[in-house]
Amino acid sequence: MFSQELWLEHEKCAVVRKPKPGRKRQELLAVALGVKVGVKGGFLWPPLRLFACPQISSLVRRAALTHNDNHFNYEKTHNFKVHTFRGPHWCEYCANFMWGLIAQGVRCSDCGLNVHKQCSKHVPNDCQPDLKRIKKVYCCDLTTLVKAHNTQRPMVVDICIREIEARGLKSEGLYRVSGFTEHIEDVKMAFDRDGEKADISANTYPDINIITGALKLYFRDLPIPVITYDTYSKFIEAAKIANADERLEAVHDVLMLLPPAHYETLRYLMIHLKKVTMNEKDNFMNAENLGIVFGPTLMRPPEDSTLTTLHDMRYQKLIVQILIENEDVLF
C-alpha cells in the first residue's frame, strides 16, 4: 500500500504529465470520421488514419475561423463544382466515404471544401475563401473578395476613395470626366497583381480621373452588382413611388435585403459621394449628376436587355441620387 507522501507525489506527476504525442491529432481525426476515442486512448486503423489526415485540414480551418474575433461574419454560399478526386476521399460534411472512380463529389472552388453532391445542399453558408484560390481582384465576387482578405469592403474601394479624397474632391467633373483607358487598365492590372500594395499615388498617376475610372471599372466588372440582381426590381419599384416619404421608406426597406458586404460597400461609397457633392462649387458634381454616372454602374437588370436598361435609366439615376442625398438617414 502507498504511503501518503508517495500518493501525493504520484498525484503531482499525474497533473503535470504531458499528453502522448499525436493524441490531439487522433482526437481531431476521430471527430472528422465520426469515431469515438476512449479516455484510455483508442486508436485509428493506420491506413484509415493515412487517408483521413488530408481531410481534417479544412475542418480545423473552418472551426478556427468560427472563433476568430477579427473575422467579418459575412455569409457566403459555397461555389461547388463537380470534381474527380484521386485516391480515397471522405466527405467533409457527413464524414462518409466518397465512392466511385470519377465525379465522386463536389469541391468549392473558393475554399476547397469537398463534399458529396447531396450533402452540398445542406452545407451552411460558411464559405471562407482561400487567398491561394483567388486569382484576381477585378471581376471577383464582392463577398468572396472581402472574406478572402478579411476586410469590411473591397480593397479597391478603400484605396481608391482614400486617394480621391486626398487630392481630387475639387477636381472639375469628378467621376464624369474619363481618364485614359490604357492607364485605367494599368491600375486594374496593378490591383490584380499587387493587391493592397498597388501604387496609385500622384507620382504614378497624376490624373485623378484615372483613379475614378478604375473605381467605376471595378463596380462595372463585378459579376453580381453592388445593388444585386435579386433586389434590382424592388429598387426600381421603390423609385416609381410618387410620395417622397413613402419612396424613402421603401428604398430603406430594400436596402435591408442587400447582402452585408454589398450593403457596407454601398454605405461607404455613398458617404464618399456625399463629400463630393459638398464640393459642388469646385467640381460641379451634384447628387443628380453622380446619379447619372453611378446608376448603371451600381445596378444592372438581371436580364441582359438593352430595352430594359434604357427604360430603367431614369429610375437608376433616381435611386443613386436618393441614396446620396439621404445617406445619413438610410444608412
Side-chain angles (χ1 to χ4, degrees):
M1 183 177 291
F2 288 124
S3 65
Q4 186 174 5
E5 290 79 14
L6 285 172
W7 176 258
L8 289 173
E9 185 178 349
H10 174 73
E11 286 294 291
K12 289 178 183 178
C13 292
V15 171
V16 299
R17 183 178 295 142
K18 295 181 179 179
K20 293 180 180 179
R23 171 68 181 173
K24 188 69 176 176
R25 188 173 182 82
Q26 281 271 89
E27 292 173 354
L28 288 171
L29 287 171
V31 170
L33 297 171
V35 178
K36 186 176 181 181
V37 178
V39 178
K40 293 185 178 180
F43 66 92
L44 296 175
W45 182 46
L48 183 64
R49 186 168 66 243
L50 174 66
F51 290 122
C53 285
Q55 311 298 320
I56 195 65
S57 59
S58 177
L59 291 173
V60 173
R61 172 169 52 83
R62 290 167 66 198
L65 287 168
T66 303
H67 295 92
N68 184 1
D69 293 335
N70 297 322
H71 177 63
F72 295 103
N73 294 316
Y74 293 153
E75 272 197 2
K76 181 190 177 309
T77 56
H78 290 273
N79 185 17
F80 286 120
K81 294 181 180 178
V82 176
H83 189 79
T84 297
F85 300 95
R86 295 182 178 180
H89 241 74
W90 276 262
C91 173
E92 295 179 36
Y93 180 77
C94 69
N96 289 322
F97 187 71
M98 301 172 79
W99 297 95
L101 298 176
I102 60 171
Q104 303 98 321
V106 292
R107 168 176 287 176
C108 177
S109 59
D110 293 333
C111 71
L113 182 70
N114 305 313
V115 297
H116 290 113
K117 187 176 180 179
Q118 291 300 317
C119 289
S120 67
K121 301 173 184 176
H122 307 290
V123 174
N125 298 333
D126 61 352
C127 178
Q128 176 56 39
D130 188 346
L131 272 175
K132 295 178 182 177
R133 297 175 180 272
I134 307 300
K135 305 297 182 184
K136 52 190 176 181
V137 173
Y138 277 67
C139 302
C140 178
D141 175 69
L142 194 152
T143 304
T144 300
L145 187 69
V146 298
K147 284 184 72 71
H149 289 273
N150 194 24
T151 56
Q152 283 184 291
R153 297 170 296 272
M155 68 177 79
V156 179
V157 177
D158 279 354
I159 295 173
C160 286
I161 287 179
R162 191 160 56 239
E163 190 67 25
I164 293 164
E165 291 185 354
R167 59 184 174 100
L169 285 178
K170 295 185 179 182
S171 177
E172 185 177 339
L174 188 67
Y175 286 112
R176 179 177 56 79
V177 178
S178 299
F180 287 110
T181 304
E182 64 177 76
H183 291 165
I184 292 173
E185 287 293 327
D186 287 343
V187 174
K188 173 182 176 180
M189 290 174 61
F191 276 114
D192 284 340
R193 182 183 62 249
D194 304 325
E196 58 188 12
K197 295 180 181 178
D199 181 13
I200 61 169
S201 63
N203 294 330
T204 308
Y205 300 103
D207 183 5
I208 196 64
N209 296 314
I210 295 171
I211 310 304
T212 59
L215 180 60
K216 289 187 292 182
L217 179 62
Y218 172 75
F219 289 130
R220 286 197 302 270
D221 280 353
L222 285 173
I224 300 175
V226 176
I227 292 178
T228 60
Y229 293 127
D230 292 340
T231 59
Y232 179 86
S233 61
K234 295 181 178 66
F235 272 108
I236 296 298
E237 290 303 314
K240 293 178 180 179
I241 298 174
N243 183 279
D245 291 336
E246 292 178 4
R247 184 172 58 217
L248 191 64
E249 186 177 350
V251 170
H252 178 266
D253 290 342
V254 184
L255 276 174
M256 297 299 102
L257 301 177
L258 287 174
H262 287 247
Y263 177 89
E264 172 57 28
T265 302
L266 187 62
R267 183 193 68 83
Y268 189 72
L269 177 63
M270 291 305 119
I271 292 173
H272 164 65
L273 294 181
K274 188 67 172 286
K275 293 178 183 177
V276 173
T277 62
M278 291 168 67
N279 290 272
E280 183 186 348
K281 290 182 179 179
D282 298 301
N283 59 36
F284 302 106
M285 296 298 290
N286 57 27
E288 184 178 0
N289 293 337
L290 290 170
I292 295 171
V293 174
F294 278 95
T297 302
L298 297 177
M299 54 193 304
R300 303 190 296 270
E303 65 281 357
D304 189 11
S305 170
T306 306
L307 189 62
T308 304
T309 302
L310 290 173
H311 180 266
D312 291 347
M313 280 185 69
R314 57 175 174 166
Y315 300 118
Q316 293 172 351
K317 180 214 70 169
L318 182 57
I319 286 296
V320 175
Q321 182 179 343
I322 290 170
L323 293 176
I324 295 172
E325 292 174 343
N326 301 278
E327 59 84 17
D328 55 335
V329 176
L330 293 171
F331 297 97

